[in-house]
Amino acid sequence: MRRVASLALLLPCLLLNPAHAEVRVLVADTIRTGDAAQPVAGALAWDTRSGRVLDVGSAEAMLQLYPDAPRIDAGEATVVPGLIDAHAHLVYLGDSLAQADLSGARSRAEVVARLQAFEKDLAPGEWLLGRGWDQNHWEDTAFPTVADLDAAFPERPLYLDRVDGHAGWVNSAAIRIAEKGGKSLSGDWQPEGGRIVRDAAGKPTGVLVDGASTLVRSHIPPLQEAAREKRLLAALQAAVSNGLTGVHDMGVSREDLALMKRLADEGKLPLRIDAYANGNEGALDDLCKNGLYTHAGGRLQMHGVKLFMDGALGSRGAAMLTDYSDDPHNRGLLVTSPADFEVAVRKADGCKVQVATHAIGDRGNRIVLDTYEKVLGAHKGNDHRWRVEHAQVVSLEDIPRFAGLGVIASMQPTHATSDMGWAEQRVGPERVKGAYAWQRYLHSGARLALGSDFPVEQVDPRLGLYAAVTRQDRDGQPPGGWQPEQRLSAEEALRGFTSDAAWAGHDEAQVGKLQRGLRADFVVLDHDPLKVAADQLDELKVLSTWVDGELVYKAAATPEG
């Protein structure tokens, strides 16, 4: 039975509200507010002019308070606060949607077949770009080579991003272009923060890890402004159609922020973007010179910077304290030197810019924590909310340091279920205890902010909820979940994608809950994520997505509907 709000208590609020003509009321079977004082409601009222919540309560009370307000009846649906992806890449997603999709390919031959099908629409000489390959899903898990591509593509240059974005696979035509415009990729030298995979003769085999990828990628012709806008708009639409009302966009350049600003000015941003500057580059310089950026419309801001410490686990670029268990003598890569990293952190700290750092390996995470502790010093107790992005493999002794330093663990549940088939091979049975260890962080008192890292993973927070609660793949494997003691409850997972994600962006006074005075950002689902079986979380249907009380996505009606 729905909780009935007292009309006598709500009447004083009526005097503060705008005319009823400016109010909308949504009634639903269940509204999960995220507010501990009133966790469940039956109706939600908001001011259409400000886009802010006026009241939350029982359907009876809201309809008595606003009898003339237009009413939206969601029937048996469930409303939850707008879902926020705390770590994602909108521009990268837009690019991926326009490239060959190699995700899920089970062999080199399947990759080539997909590329051949995609090539049919390309102009002669145009680069063929793709993303999503993952050698860990192939029978032969060794890195691929130029030979795998050259037979089918002897002249057309190819650049194929690995699923994690931390390695590129290229063909000989691409290498020839790179060498013509720069240094030979052969020899025994290595670029800073990267690795050219070579054969015994010192020739590049076709895979470029982390910083080495720019040796080829820098020769890909840049997109025109119209194409960049089209791709970003496609990414934004994909996000809202999956129930996202906010994205923490990690690694936004000065040029990409300018595009986002223009779309915000034109009213074309259907969700909120918390943009984090792309390292110690121009965008951070702008923040230091001009101050933190907030668009007047409330849907775009840049208050933070995203830095890099190491590579990724799948390509063995994550920086480890000891050798990889499946690759002796390899301890991964530092993308940024500790000295340069400290310079960037101190710069951001001096400019009052929130710091978020990519760290995946246990050594990478330790260097980040050590540097944060050193730079924060006596003011580590301030409300800085610095973040570690991924915190994927962390020494058990370092996990309690997150709470002690006030550092947020920004983690992606689907990374665990994507990597669980081979993660222990990489790091062994002891180190894996500190991998994807969500409950260890919560029990230590640390805050979790959840995301997807799309397009590394899919742009669908329902998959994140499912992975967080089950720690299984979508076929229900392994039974009981991988390292099941680290599973989150449905409530913890939903909080990680709503109020905790909002808190990680310093946005809790604006979004994250359905509460009087906050933005009317919410998602209408066909079932209650806190009541359905855990193995049905990935099957929830997004019926509609609302930002500032505006409908930004509505699912197409079914034939029966």
Side-chain angles (χ1 to χ4, degrees):
M1 184 174 180
R2 293 194 187 106
R3 173 180 174 180
V4 178
S6 168
L7 184 58
L9 293 175
L10 290 173
L11 277 175
C13 301
L14 184 59
L15 300 176
L16 303 176
N17 292 336
H20 290 183
E22 304 293 344
V23 178
R24 295 289 183 276
V25 175
L26 181 143
V27 178
D29 183 72
T30 303
I31 296 178
R32 297 284 180 185
T33 68
D35 179 4
Q38 187 181 31
V40 182
L44 169 72
W46 67 91
D47 176 2
T48 61
R49 296 178 302 182
S50 68
R52 293 186 180 273
V53 176
L54 294 171
D55 287 299
V56 183
S58 71
E60 295 85 353
M62 292 298 100
L63 294 176
Q64 287 183 62
L65 273 175
Y66 307 106
D68 300 323
R71 173 180 170 181
I72 301 163
D73 192 344
E76 297 181 354
T78 294
V79 176
V80 299
L83 299 172
I84 302 167
D85 193 312
H87 183 112
H89 308 279
L90 284 163
V91 171
Y92 187 17
L93 173 62
D95 290 341
S96 298
L97 293 172
Q99 297 172 2
D101 182 6
L102 309 178
S103 58
R106 292 291 172 176
S107 66
R108 294 166 172 78
E110 184 177 346
V111 168
V112 171
R114 293 193 194 184
L115 293 170
Q116 288 174 320
F118 189 85
E119 183 191 27
K120 294 177 181 178
D121 295 326
L122 297 182
E126 184 178 353
W127 282 71
L128 199 171
L129 307 176
R131 68 158 304 277
W133 61 273
D134 186 352
Q135 82 283 0
N136 293 309
H137 294 314
W138 304 341
E139 185 174 346
D140 177 3
T141 58
F143 271 146
T145 68
V146 291
D148 299 315
L149 301 173
D150 284 352
F153 308 99
E155 300 298 331
R156 184 186 297 278
L158 273 69
Y159 183 91
L160 312 175
D161 253 322
R162 193 181 180 279
V163 63
D164 54 18
H166 284 267
W169 176 17
V170 299
N171 64 345
S172 294
I175 291 176
R176 287 195 297 269
I177 291 173
E179 292 185 329
K180 184 177 180 181
K183 185 176 180 179
S184 171
L185 274 61
S186 298
D188 58 3
W189 66 279
Q190 291 291 358
E192 183 177 357
R195 177 164 60 94
I196 302 170
V197 180
R198 298 188 177 99
D199 61 20
K203 292 185 177 181
T205 62
V207 170
L208 308 169
V209 180
D210 286 307
S213 65
T214 59
L215 298 171
V216 169
R217 194 168 52 195
S218 61
H219 295 277
I220 300 171
L223 289 174
Q224 298 298 312
E225 183 72 4
R228 293 176 63 240
E229 177 179 336
K230 181 179 179 180
R231 291 186 179 190
L232 180 54
L233 289 173
L236 292 167
Q237 185 57 36
V240 295
S241 68
N242 280 284
L244 289 174
T245 61
V247 170
H248 295 183
D249 197 342
M250 291 290 162
V252 176
S253 69
R254 174 187 279 164
E255 294 74 21
D256 290 336
L257 181 63
L259 173 58
M260 293 173 182
K261 287 180 180 179
R262 181 165 62 78
L263 294 182
D265 289 341
E266 296 171 359
K268 294 181 179 179
L269 288 186
L271 51 66
R272 299 188 201 288
I273 302 175
D274 275 24
Y276 284 70
N278 62 329
N280 193 0
E281 304 289 345
L284 178 59
D285 292 339
D286 293 343
L287 294 179
C288 289
K289 179 181 178 181
N290 304 319
L292 306 184
Y293 171 76
T294 303
H295 189 272
R299 294 193 184 181
L300 176 64
Q301 66 183 35
M302 181 180 277
H303 294 175
V305 60
K306 191 272 186 82
L307 304 174
F308 270 97
M309 178 45 60
D310 62 353
L313 196 65
S315 50
R316 296 186 183 86
M320 308 301 296
L321 293 167
T322 56
D323 295 354
Y324 277 90
S325 299
D326 60 354
D327 192 10
H329 311 300
N330 180 10
R331 297 190 179 186
L333 295 166
L334 292 181
V335 175
T336 308
S337 73
D340 288 344
F341 177 66
E342 183 177 337
V343 168
V345 173
R346 289 193 181 279
K347 176 179 177 178
D349 183 44
C351 301
K352 309 301 181 186
V353 173
Q354 182 190 25
V355 181
T357 305
H358 165 114
I360 289 184
D362 52 10
R363 183 185 177 214
N365 276 277
R366 180 166 293 177
I367 292 172
V368 171
L369 292 172
D370 287 348
T371 306
Y372 281 4
E373 186 167 21
K374 182 178 179 181
V375 174
L376 287 169
H379 66 279
K380 67 180 182 181
N382 291 357
D383 191 23
H384 55 81
R385 304 189 201 181
W386 288 5
R387 306 164 49 147
V388 175
E389 304 303 312
H390 311 307
Q392 205 160 300
V393 181
V394 180
S395 172
L396 292 177
E397 64 188 272
D398 284 334
I399 288 177
R401 298 178 65 193
F402 281 73
L405 291 169
V407 171
I408 299 162
S410 172
M411 305 181 77
Q412 299 74 48
T414 47
H415 280 346
T417 51
S418 292
D419 299 354
M420 63 187 179
W422 47 264
E424 188 169 335
Q425 298 172 24
R426 288 281 193 279
V427 301
E430 287 304 312
R431 283 185 293 187
V432 82
K433 294 177 183 178
Y436 322 88
W438 310 320
Q439 285 295 347
R440 294 188 193 278
Y441 287 97
L442 291 181
H443 289 159
S444 73
R447 290 259 197 166
L448 285 183
L450 301 182
S452 69
D453 200 14
F454 71 69
V456 174
E457 304 283 354
Q458 294 186 50
V459 52
D460 189 343
R462 292 164 293 184
L463 301 182
L465 294 172
Y466 172 86
V469 176
T470 67
R471 289 180 75 99
Q472 295 175 321
D473 65 22
R474 297 186 75 185
D475 294 326
Q477 297 298 318
W482 180 60
Q483 297 181 334
E485 72 280 0
Q486 297 304 315
R487 291 177 302 188
L488 297 178
S489 69
E491 184 176 3
E492 289 168 337
L494 183 61
R495 192 174 70 225
F497 279 102
T498 54
S499 59
D500 283 351
W503 192 86
H506 290 273
D507 299 327
E508 71 276 13
Q510 301 293 326
V511 294
K513 299 178 182 179
L514 293 173
Q515 193 175 39
R516 181 182 172 92
L518 272 60
R519 300 275 187 177
D521 292 5
F522 56 90
V523 182
V524 182
L525 303 171
D526 65 335
H527 291 98
D528 186 346
L530 302 192
K531 287 189 175 181
V532 300
D535 62 2
Q536 295 177 7
L537 285 166
D538 59 333
E539 298 175 3
L540 292 169
K541 290 183 174 58
V542 175
L543 302 180
S544 57
T545 306
W546 301 71
V547 175
D548 288 322
E550 297 177 4
L551 180 66
V552 296
Y553 168 76
K554 182 178 181 181
T558 62
E560 293 80 11

